[in-house]
Amino acid sequence: GSAVQHERQREQIAEAVRPLSGMNPQQFDTFGRRQSLSSAAQRECLRLDEQVMAAERDEHGAKGPVLAEIQARLFGLRKRFRELGC
């Protein structure tokens, strides 16, 4: 359908500008989606990207009450991520 065609077209555009932007299709899509956000929100999204990845790494090695604490922190980070529209 048209959604698939649109998706393929966006991927082709991302691949075409890859030498200039250095971004893969997923990064290009994220960049495009965040363009409508304020500069402060864009900075917070970048910070949240890093914090979520770090919390996910911590979650994999944690057990017991530490795991619950990390999961609660991760939930808060993901909630803020969605609120901003990152």
Side-chain angles (χ1 to χ4, degrees):
S2 64
V4 173
Q5 186 178 15
H6 182 58
E7 175 81 18
R8 285 187 181 156
Q9 186 178 26
R10 287 193 51 80
E11 288 175 359
Q12 290 172 344
I13 291 170
E15 286 299 325
V17 299
R18 188 176 196 161
L20 299 174
S21 69
M23 294 185 265
N24 66 33
Q26 183 183 8
Q27 292 168 326
F28 186 76
D29 185 50
T30 300
F31 176 78
R33 214 177 40 251
R34 290 180 180 175
Q35 282 296 341
S36 62
L37 301 177
S38 69
S39 61
Q42 288 178 21
R43 284 191 303 273
E44 188 171 355
C45 286
L46 288 173
R47 183 181 56 79
L48 287 168
D49 285 340
E50 294 172 8
Q51 290 179 336
V52 166
M53 284 192 301
E56 287 174 345
R57 280 193 307 268
D58 294 344
E59 181 184 34
H60 290 296
K63 294 179 184 176
V66 174
L67 176 61
E69 180 182 321
I70 292 171
Q71 287 176 333
R73 191 174 103 233
L74 189 54
F75 177 78
L77 292 169
R78 288 177 175 157
K79 181 179 177 186
R80 181 64 181 152
F81 192 87
R82 282 190 307 278
E83 288 171 352
L84 286 172
C86 297

